[in-house]
Amino acid sequence: MRETSPGRDAGAEDLIGIGFGPANLALAIAVDAHNERNPQEALSARFVERQERFGWHRGMLLEGATMQVAFLKDLVTMRDPRSRFTFLSYLQERGRLADFINQKSFYPTRLEFHDYLEWCAAEFTDAVDYGRRAVEVRPVAEAGRVVAVEVVTEAAAGGAERRTHRARNLSVGTGLTPCLPEGVTAGERVWHTRDLLYRAPELTELRHRRFTVVGAGQSAAEAVEYLHRTFPEAEVCAVFSRYGYSPADDSPFANRIFDPEAVDHYYGAPEPVKQRLLDLHANTNYSVVDGDLIEQLYRTVYQEKVAGRERLRMLNTTRLAGVEQIADGARAAVRNLATGEEYGLDSDAVVLATGYAHVDPRELLGPLAADCLVDGGGRLRVDRDHRVLTADEVEVGIYLQGGTEHTHGITSSLLSTLAVRSGEISDSLLLRRRLCAMAN
């Protein structure tokens, strides 16, 4: 622990954000809005992002794929609909507002929404260190109290050059990491859907004329549709343990689970109730598919049966047993759960739509991790303002942008409440700074 000289470090940023995806971008907008309204109490913020430029799931920006959340749940509207960063402001500047309205749809394509995110991110280029990753967080002590942290970064592409930023608060928005089935390793012909648009265009010749897609959620169905459309000479096998794709419940009452008020209800609920709510509403987000896409895929299967050339095969009640590399491809070993039959699918690529997991922020926090309080299950205790509860001697605020489903509910890793959450974190930063100033 680094000791400082007496007196609070005036050179420290109010906030360092680790990661600059939609969550920390929304926080940058909230801080910017506060600073415009209250220049005398401006908050300073800087962000570190390992990508060379802003990007959000670029590997799945499939042509025609639409968002599963309404455009009004952008980075700011639910907190401040008058902001210059609303999706409608973006459309106006791009000259497409009337055209978008004429679509009569609340759901833009993923490509358009990504362009909106890039449009917002462009306003904060000077506040982001792109192409760098945080490798160490060191606590800074003063009179036995942790009053700041030093965030050490290095070039994401490699190299010995390191930089250090000092801050009084952290916002951890490192996103999600891809999950792979046990015993399966990604490779040249074994891809997670995260890399689909990076890898698929590289296949100029198909030796096996088959793709195998594993998974039952939205990403799996979108990958199936994309590969079937892009490679008309190939068979596409969809492997999932269910009998068929399950539709997402996006009905109005069910969607209330994504309302900002639902976070308050969830946070204050007893633990058994929290788990019950997650179980009851899992079908709003997990392993479910947009109803229109399900119908489109079903029509394709039926029409191919009529034509007598079935390229789209739904291998339901089937589970992946393993994957091995073969010449110019990969072999997916699958087992039918109903009959026990096992067989191999020689494929030009095996695509794994097997979801994501949260990265435990304690892996990055170094010595500070020992000062983070946990519950009976070893999970981080998180206050309502999204700040990790810590030992009394830690004055640094550690805010989590995701990974808080156990405390804040199903919206933890989703876009739905980003606008409101970023405002709550910004308000908390300001309140804690005022309290600290009063104490000193």
Side-chain angles (χ1 to χ4, degrees), residues 281-302:
H281 294 283
N283 64 344
T284 60
N285 183 61
Y286 298 113
S287 296
V288 289
V289 181
D290 177 75
D292 290 341
L293 181 54
I294 293 176
E295 292 185 7
Q296 177 187 340
L297 292 174
Y298 188 88
R299 282 194 301 269
T300 299
V301 170
Y302 181 76

Side-chain angles (χ1 to χ4, degrees), residues 398-411:
I398 304 169
Y399 295 87
L400 299 187
Q401 296 268 33
T404 57
E405 191 174 84
H406 62 292
T407 55
H408 288 68
I410 203 168
T411 62

Side-chain angles (χ1 to χ4, degrees), residues 307-358:
R309 182 173 181 250
E310 299 180 37
R311 286 197 305 116
L312 182 53
R313 296 176 58 198
M314 296 293 171
L315 305 182
N316 53 15
T317 65
T318 301
R319 181 167 293 168
L320 182 73
V323 180
E324 63 175 302
Q325 300 286 341
I326 59 175
D328 298 322
R331 177 176 295 128
V334 299
R335 180 169 61 89
N336 186 293
L337 300 177
T339 66
E341 177 190 4
E342 295 189 9
Y343 53 94
L345 298 170
D346 289 358
S347 311
D348 293 283
V350 174
V351 182
L352 304 169
T354 45
Y356 295 84
H358 290 284

Side-chain angles (χ1 to χ4, degrees), residues 73-189:
K73 293 183 177 181
D74 58 24
L75 299 179
V76 66
T77 295
M78 293 192 71
R79 185 188 73 254
D80 181 9
R82 297 167 297 179
S83 168
R84 62 191 175 98
F85 289 102
T86 64
F87 184 76
L88 291 178
S89 295
Y90 153 80
L91 288 174
Q92 178 70 21
E93 185 169 306
R94 289 286 198 254
R96 296 198 304 267
L97 181 56
D99 295 332
F100 184 86
I101 292 172
N102 288 336
Q103 286 190 125
K104 300 180 181 179
S105 173
F106 270 68
Y107 303 96
T109 65
R110 201 172 298 152
L111 276 168
E112 183 172 36
F113 199 79
H114 190 276
D115 189 57
Y116 157 70
L117 295 175
E118 288 185 286
W119 176 79
C120 293
E123 294 293 313
F124 300 96
T125 301
D126 292 342
V128 186
D129 292 333
Y130 285 107
R132 302 194 68 82
R133 63 188 184 97
V135 294
E136 186 180 1
V137 174
R138 300 192 294 234
V140 178
E142 178 182 309
R145 301 186 66 77
V146 179
V147 298
V149 290
E150 290 180 340
V151 179
V152 182
T153 71
E154 65 181 17
E161 181 205 5
R162 290 196 166 191
R163 300 175 189 167
T164 301
H165 300 282
R166 184 172 291 196
R168 288 180 279 273
N169 298 279
L170 290 176
S171 174
V172 183
T174 49
L176 304 168
T177 185
C179 290
L180 299 178
E182 185 177 355
V184 176
T185 304
E188 183 179 353
R189 298 299 182 96

